[in-house]
Amino acid sequence: MTRGTNNLIGAVNFITFLASIPILGGGIWLSSRANSTECLRFLQWPIIIIGICIMVISLMGFVGACYRQTWLLQLYLFVMFLVIASLIGFIVFAFAVTDRGHGQVVINRAFLEYQLSDYSGWLKDRVSDPHQWSKISSCLRDAHVCSGMRRTIRDPATGMVLPESADMFYHRQLSPIESGCCKPPTSCGYAYLNETLWIPSTSMLLNDNDCIQWSNDQRQLCYRCDSCKAGLLATLRHSWRKVSIINIAILIILVVVYVIACAAFRNNKRMDNAEAYGEARMTKSRPSRFQF
């Protein structure tokens, strides 16, 4: 029975080792949502570190259970407890910092628009920090996140290649970053020329700082706008929720493995103490025979 339990914990830890791969992938995918791992480096490391820790402790549990190394199982249980607690903390934190924020529907537009005032909490403060945003916006600019917006059509009469019309653009589905960083807010009243070129109108809102920050300079666009920060927050919110769902599934697996590992650890201690599994510590005494 003891050998079977140890084999079971070894097999389950091997499965856990394989399950840690999606966590690592989730951390890398989360950072890639900003089109460059350098843009939001501070966001990817907690998930990647948890994934690496699960890989290492899975190997510890596998070796400890299969080779009946009690001290290794003891260390494994301690580290596993810390990882489970950290994963629970990260899941709660991820849902707490992404509990607010959503895109706003604009009349006669298929895409949503985003305002920084709709978001709050640690993630907003972190992204809005001038020093941090300077690095993020520079990274987004270098990643050419707006270059993929441009589309052209061929005029059937002349055969000339022209930018798509304003009506076609207004009925496109834009990503939050494209909507917030690559065009001025609709409320500003800019006239469409192409996806990243807009003509100011006489009715432009001067009390909206984003309207002033917009520039037709392809290196500037709306990277300094609050709408760009809000678009990035919307992307992060969606990404963190997806990663958190994966982490919840991994957490359930880790708790099951932890319970099985506790049983394997108790079995190994019994074997070390030369105690047979399932044998009671107290045995019923038999009446002794007196010899005269």
Side-chain angles (χ1 to χ4, degrees):
M1 185 69 176
T2 302
R3 185 178 182 85
T5 306
N6 286 343
N7 289 340
L8 177 61
I9 187 61
V12 172
N13 271 281
F14 179 73
I15 296 175
T16 307
F17 175 83
L18 297 179
S20 65
I21 297 177
I23 295 183
L24 281 174
I28 297 173
W29 174 80
L30 180 62
S31 63
S32 69
R33 297 299 292 172
N35 295 284
S36 174
T37 55
E38 298 296 321
C39 294
L40 295 167
R41 183 182 296 178
F42 68 93
L43 296 177
Q44 74 190 61
W45 285 115
I47 302 178
I48 292 178
I49 290 174
I50 290 176
I52 293 175
C53 288
I54 293 176
M55 276 190 171
V56 173
I57 63 177
S58 296
L59 291 176
M60 291 169 53
F62 180 80
V63 174
C66 292
Y67 294 95
R68 208 169 62 81
Q69 299 293 322
T70 303
W71 68 271
L72 194 57
L73 272 179
Q74 191 171 11
L75 178 61
Y76 162 81
L77 290 175
F78 175 74
V79 178
M80 175 69 88
F81 176 80
L82 295 180
V83 170
I84 291 176
S86 300
L87 194 57
I88 292 174
F90 179 81
I91 292 172
V92 173
F93 174 77
F95 278 101
V97 299
T98 58
D99 64 335
R100 290 190 57 190
H102 53 82
Q104 297 184 350
V105 177
V106 182
I107 298 176
N108 296 326
R109 301 291 187 271
F111 50 79
L112 301 177
E113 294 202 339
Y114 303 85
Q115 294 185 1
L116 190 60
S117 58
D118 292 334
Y119 298 85
S120 64
W122 176 87
L123 194 57
K124 173 188 174 182
D125 295 338
R126 182 73 174 177
V127 171
S128 300
D129 177 73
H131 177 69
Q132 191 68 42
W133 181 249
S134 176
K135 295 189 295 184
I136 295 175
S137 61
S138 176
C139 178
L140 293 175
R141 187 182 301 111
D142 293 339
H144 305 290
V145 294
C146 298
S147 61
M149 290 182 61
R150 297 177 183 174
R151 292 183 182 178
T152 58
I153 58 174
R154 186 175 297 276
D155 189 333
T158 62
M160 295 179 60
V161 177
L162 303 173
E164 66 178 358
S165 65
D167 288 338
M168 295 176 65
F169 175 76
Y170 294 151
H171 287 84
R172 282 174 55 180
Q173 296 288 341
L174 302 180
S175 70
I177 290 180
E178 289 175 338
S179 177
C181 304
C182 305
K183 67 171 190 59
T186 301
S187 60
C188 294
Y190 279 86
Y192 174 87
L193 188 60
N194 66 32
E195 293 86 351
T196 56
L197 287 177
W198 297 75
I199 303 173
S201 65
T202 55
S203 61
M204 187 179 69
L205 296 177
L206 297 178
N207 58 345
D208 189 337
N209 189 55
D210 282 1
C211 300
I212 302 174
Q213 294 290 350
W214 167 260
S215 172
N216 283 327
D217 182 353
Q218 299 302 295
R219 292 285 298 174
Q220 297 297 327
L221 298 179
C222 218
Y223 291 121
R224 295 176 296 177
C225 301
D226 286 344
S227 62
C228 187
K229 300 172 185 176
L232 180 63
L233 287 171
T235 301
L236 293 177
R237 182 181 186 275
H238 181 69
S239 301
W240 276 38
R241 290 298 177 100
K242 281 188 174 182
V243 172
S244 295
I245 292 174
I246 296 176
N247 287 342
I248 290 174
I250 298 298
L251 177 64
I252 295 174
I253 296 174
L254 292 181
V255 171
V256 173
V257 171
Y258 186 79
V259 172
I260 299 175
C262 288
F265 175 70
R266 291 181 59 188
N267 291 337
N268 285 343
K269 288 195 67 175
R270 286 173 177 173
M271 292 184 67
D272 290 341
N273 295 331
E275 176 183 351
Y277 179 82
E279 181 179 350
R281 293 176 180 269
M282 299 290 293
T283 57
K284 183 178 179 180
S285 58
R286 295 180 179 178
S288 59
R289 295 182 180 181
F290 295 95
Q291 294 182 359
F292 297 93

